[in-house]
Amino acid sequence: MRILVVEDAVDLAEAIMMRFGRTGHALDHAASAAEAEDYVRHQEYDLLILDINLPDKDGFTVLRGIRAAGITTPVLVLTARAEIEDRISALDYGADDYVVKPFDFRELEARARALLRRRQGIASGATVHGNLTFDRAGAKITVADRTMVLPNREFRVLEVFLGNLGRVLTKAEIVSQVYGFDDAPGPNAIELYVARLRKKLQGSSLAIRTRRGLGYVAELVA
């Protein structure tokens, strides 16, 4: 999933990106409101992690602008303001959740996972697709009685397919979900991940098929 981190404190932004990058998410960083607004105009995100105290304008203004533009991406607000009025304002302006600084990274990750699930219309951290169980919280899959922990990027590619069952995805669409602007995937990266996933999914209820000249489609099979 692709996440935009809007945070002017470089050390904190790097720490957040390192934590989420370890689990294979694609990440972009904006250090100001102007950068954040430019990013969301040109790229669709699955989640925004938005600091309230930004150098050029506050995060509430960014949040209002995003919602006024009809952008429904989930927004997780980071705030050092612990007063109840500020938390209420964040939610009323269109935030989906908030975390008060200083925070435990485990809580931040758990809240982010919940918002990403909600965006996909999923209530639980684990979903069942025939004999395939996809465990987002545990970052593992089970095929029949075989449990496997996938490398992070493979796990995210599979997550993209499961969130788009029956829909043909181009390589560019998959790349946009698993790589940030600063990443440089090799020309055959997606083909490699798909080939590895096909081997590991043998005997499962999920098939990833090639649509020549178009891309790939994941389908459930009997």
Side-chain angles (χ1 to χ4, degrees):
M1 300 290 101
R2 191 154 183 165
I3 301 171
L4 176 61
V5 178
V6 186
E7 170 61 64
D8 65 316
V10 176
D11 54 347
L12 178 56
E14 289 179 347
I16 293 171
M17 294 178 73
M18 184 178 297
R19 292 286 297 223
F20 284 91
R22 286 174 183 167
T23 54
H25 290 290
L27 293 140
D28 295 315
H29 173 225
S32 68
E35 287 182 359
E37 290 165 344
D38 185 56
Y39 274 126
V40 298
R41 277 195 298 267
H42 297 94
Q43 174 63 49
E44 183 177 348
Y45 289 95
D46 297 290
L47 176 66
L48 269 61
I49 298 177
L50 175 64
D51 183 29
I52 291 301
N53 296 313
L54 297 171
D56 47 351
K57 64 176 79 169
D58 67 49
F60 289 143
T61 303
V62 176
L63 181 57
R64 288 197 299 268
I66 288 172
R67 295 306 186 222
I71 297 171
T72 59
T73 302
V75 175
L76 175 58
V77 162
L78 303 180
T79 178
R81 308 173 187 178
E83 291 79 7
I84 186 64
E85 289 80 7
D86 291 310
R87 288 178 278 168
I88 291 172
S89 294
L91 295 171
D92 284 343
Y93 289 147
D96 296 272
D97 201 355
Y98 62 85
V99 173
V100 177
K101 298 178 181 178
F103 52 80
D104 188 311
F105 276 96
R106 295 171 298 174
E107 180 183 3
L108 179 66
E109 290 173 318
R111 290 182 180 275
R113 284 196 301 270
L115 292 179
L116 289 168
R117 288 199 309 268
R118 188 185 306 168
R119 181 163 176 79
Q120 294 180 298
I122 298 168
S124 171
T127 53
V128 178
H129 310 269
N131 69 351
L132 168 67
T133 300
F134 186 81
D135 184 351
R136 290 165 178 79
K140 60 188 177 182
I141 65 170
T142 300
V143 176
D145 58 351
R146 294 181 294 119
T147 297
M148 293 170 274
V149 177
L150 300 180
N152 291 332
R153 199 79 77 177
E154 287 180 31
F155 188 79
R156 294 306 166 195
V157 170
L158 180 56
E159 184 176 32
V160 171
F161 279 124
L162 290 174
N164 294 274
L165 287 174
R167 176 173 171 249
V168 176
L169 297 172
T170 66
K171 292 177 186 177
E173 287 176 309
I174 300 171
V175 165
S176 73
Q177 290 294 303
V178 296
Y179 289 96
F181 287 123
D182 294 330
D183 294 327
N188 300 314
I190 300 304
E191 291 95 325
L192 179 61
Y193 293 135
V194 169
R196 290 175 177 171
L197 284 171
R198 281 172 171 161
K199 289 182 180 179
K200 294 172 182 178
L201 292 171
Q202 285 182 356
S204 79
S205 301
L206 185 75
I208 302 174
R209 308 186 193 280
T210 300
R211 292 289 184 262
R212 205 163 294 279
L214 298 174
Y216 302 98
V217 60
E219 299 173 322
L220 293 179
V221 296

